[in-house]
Amino acid sequence: MKVFKFGGASVDSVSRIRNLPVILKNYPSEKLLIVVSAMGKTTNALEKVAEAFFAGDSNQALDLFSKIKQSHLETAQNLELPADTGFQQMMADFFTEVEWLLHDKPVRPYNYYYDQIVCIGELLSTAIVSHYLQSTGILNQWLDVRDIFATDDQFRSANIYWEETSQRFAEGILPLFKHTDVILTQGFIGSTNANESTTLGREGSDYSAAIFANLLEAESLTIWKDVEGVMNADPKAFPEARYIRELGYDEVIEMAFYGAQVIHPKTIKPLQNKNIPLHVKCFLDPTLPGTMIHSKHIVGLPPIFVLKQNQVLIHFRSRDFSFVGEEGTAVLYTMLSSLHIQANLLQTGAVILQVCADHIPEKIEKLALEASEIFDVQVENGLTLLTIRHYQKDLLENLIQGRKIVLQQWSPETVQTLMY
């Protein structure tokens, strides 16, 4: 059995959806569990709906959602899907799931409404893809992943309840493979025990696919992208970026930790636990070998570049010039954890702690306010963080030439430079 994950770019147009059966027909008679993301920029569009609704503008929210609704109906029409009453009712039910909420007024936190609204993107895309595959002769069973993935109520970054999810998987999915070779479902979403929709964090579809691979004890997981494979840098920022044929789990975890937008940070562990290889392949040209990620440690890797814009550096200084010490550090880590702020770079001194993080204004403001009860707090923004794995000194010097260096950290494998 294999798990495939198709991201938003692979289903963002009629022509690309038509490409899916071309890929799948290369795997005849194989048992496949397929995870599909929302189409193209649908998640971004649904976020706008959630923002308008929470701001109290229901009319705007409904208008924005109407455009999303129309776009999906046009896609279904352009795919020439049969006039199937079951499909039409399924789509209508998903539209209603959002619209009844948008006619209400917000009384709960924003993250709750975000998840109830944004989750619809995956449900709509998979309904369309499932029925299109059926029309091309690829029989499949559509499944609502919210019936399988049990989570807590940490909306927008929900945690999987593994034991309950495993039981639901054994009862709800494994028996289906006796009747079908292909099961198609959603990534990114789950539900609480109160049947409230949750999301697993942006780009959480990769993680969803890895959970399924783990539970299925799959032969492999393949993530289909619009690139040749994993690159050593973002080609938009580094035109000379090159493709990497093979990586170890350890290297991918490091890349994800430092912010490389290749694989969701949580994806690797469920695979590593059961030694399941991960393939990253190109849906535009399935004949390309792609990148293989597995348990072996790979030597001789090229330098790997990660560039994070819009960074903020927060200085936490002891008010009485006493050592910051273990207590102050522990308090700060607790604050970071409670606000779900990841320290992209952290440096400690005798009387000062410095933390570099993504500049998410509402989170940074809360952190600065809470910390000001203990520390003198100063915030610098507008910074860029460059991380180079397997760095070479001349490469680093060329990249930081003419920049003002704010902070720098070195290890034998990695250098990080925070700069203007």
Side-chain angles (χ1 to χ4, degrees):
M1 296 185 182
K2 295 177 179 175
V3 177
F4 285 176
K5 182 260 177 172
F6 290 96
S10 63
V11 291
D12 69 353
S13 67
V14 168
S15 63
R16 289 189 170 180
I17 294 173
R18 290 189 189 279
N19 187 49
L20 295 185
V22 176
I23 294 173
L24 296 178
K25 285 176 181 178
N26 292 321
Y27 302 87
S29 303
E30 293 214 41
K31 300 288 187 183
L32 301 175
L33 191 150
I34 302 174
V35 173
V36 179
S37 298
M39 295 179 181
K41 301 297 183 183
T42 301
T43 299
N44 292 339
L46 286 165
E47 286 176 341
K48 300 290 186 187
V49 174
E51 289 166 6
F53 168 74
F54 197 73
D57 194 341
S58 291
N59 289 334
Q60 184 188 12
L62 285 163
D63 182 57
L64 290 170
F65 185 68
S66 177
K67 293 175 182 176
I68 296 168
K69 177 178 175 179
Q70 188 59 36
S71 171
H72 283 79
L73 292 174
E74 287 176 2
T75 297
Q77 184 177 11
N78 291 334
L79 287 168
E80 300 176 335
L81 293 185
D84 182 288
T85 55
F87 170 68
Q88 293 172 352
Q89 186 60 54
M90 179 185 287
M91 296 293 281
D93 288 345
F94 293 146
F95 295 144
T96 301
E97 192 171 327
V98 173
E99 288 169 338
W100 75 263
L101 184 150
L102 297 181
H103 281 100
D104 207 346
K105 291 185 178 180
V107 293
R108 295 180 65 171
Y110 172 75
N111 287 350
Y112 166 79
Y113 293 107
Y114 177 99
D115 281 6
Q116 310 317 302
I117 294 169
V118 169
C119 75
I120 295 299
E122 270 68 16
L123 295 163
L124 294 173
S125 69
T126 53
I128 290 171
V129 170
S130 174
H131 282 79
Y132 176 67
L133 292 179
Q134 297 278 21
S135 73
T136 66
I138 298 179
L139 303 181
N140 66 90
Q141 176 65 57
W142 182 91
L143 189 78
D144 189 333
V145 75
R146 295 176 297 180
D147 294 332
I148 305 299
F149 280 8
T151 75
D152 63 14
D153 60 357
Q154 184 65 52
F155 297 105
R156 292 191 73 179
S157 57
N159 298 294
I160 294 288
Y161 288 145
W162 276 88
E163 186 175 345
E164 186 174 349
T165 297
S166 180
Q167 182 178 344
R168 291 183 182 183
F169 179 86
E171 295 172 354
I173 287 187
L174 286 181
L176 294 178
F177 276 117
K178 295 177 182 177
H179 310 289
T180 183
D181 286 340
V182 180
I183 294 174
L184 191 141
T185 190
Q186 307 80 37
F188 180 54
I189 62 179
S191 70
T192 68
N193 288 331
N195 290 323
E196 295 172 321
S197 299
T198 57
T199 64
L200 308 181
R202 288 301 298 265
E203 310 304 327
S205 291
D206 288 356
Y207 180 42
S208 299
I211 293 169
F212 277 124
N214 177 287
L215 295 173
L216 196 60
E217 298 190 359
E219 175 187 335
S220 63
L221 165 61
T222 302
I223 294 177
W224 296 88
K225 291 179 171 283
D226 57 356
V227 292
E228 183 179 357
V230 176
M231 311 289 284
N232 73 323
D234 180 352
K236 295 176 183 176
F238 298 88
E240 297 178 358
R242 53 185 168 132
Y243 149 78
I244 303 173
R245 176 71 185 86
E246 190 177 16
L247 286 166
Y249 292 135
D250 55 351
E251 186 64 40
V252 174
I253 290 171
E254 292 284 350
M255 292 170 68
F257 174 79
Y258 289 115
Q261 299 297 308
V262 283
I263 304 296
H264 189 273
K266 292 182 178 179
T267 300
I268 297 303
K269 185 169 175 53
L271 303 176
Q272 192 174 25
N273 287 349
K274 293 192 177 175
N275 200 24
I276 298 169
L278 168 62
H279 303 272
V280 179
K281 287 180 66 71
C282 180
F283 63 78
L284 300 173
D285 186 353
T287 63
L288 295 173
T291 299
M292 164 78 85
I293 300 168
H294 50 57
S295 58
K296 296 178 183 177
H297 177 72
I298 309 300
V299 297
L301 288 169
I304 293 171
F305 305 91
V306 181
L307 198 64
K308 289 179 72 75
Q309 308 283 0
N310 196 30
Q311 298 294 287
V312 60
L313 182 64
I314 314 165
H315 307 262
F316 304 92
R317 185 180 297 274
S318 171
R319 285 178 171 165
D320 59 2
F321 292 95
S322 62
F323 289 125
V324 171
E326 295 177 0
E327 184 177 346
T329 304
V331 168
L332 180 57
Y333 269 110
T334 299
M335 291 179 184
L336 292 170
S337 176
S338 67
L339 292 169
H340 302 284
I341 296 173
Q342 177 180 314
N344 297 326
L345 181 64
L346 189 147
Q347 188 155 302
T348 61
V351 297
I352 192 170
L353 284 163
Q354 295 172 288
V355 175
C356 169
D358 297 340
H359 189 199
I360 304 172
E362 62 272 19
K363 289 188 177 184
I364 299 304
E365 288 169 11
K366 285 181 181 178
L367 176 62
L369 184 62
E370 288 183 22
S372 65
E373 297 180 7
I374 304 169
F375 303 101
D376 285 329
V377 181
Q378 180 186 356
V379 178
E380 285 185 82
N381 52 38
L383 297 164
T384 297
L385 179 62
L386 170 67
T387 301
I388 308 177
R389 295 270 299 158
H390 321 295
Y391 62 87
Q392 298 165 3
K393 191 174 181 182
D394 58 334
L395 283 174
L396 175 63
E397 289 175 350
N398 288 336
L399 289 170
I400 65 176
Q401 189 173 14
R403 307 294 288 266
K404 179 183 176 183
I405 308 303
V406 177
L407 204 60
Q408 203 163 42
Q409 282 187 1
W410 301 74
S411 76
E413 284 284 348
T414 305
V415 59
Q416 288 189 282
T417 302
L418 186 64
M419 55 195 178
Y420 283 105

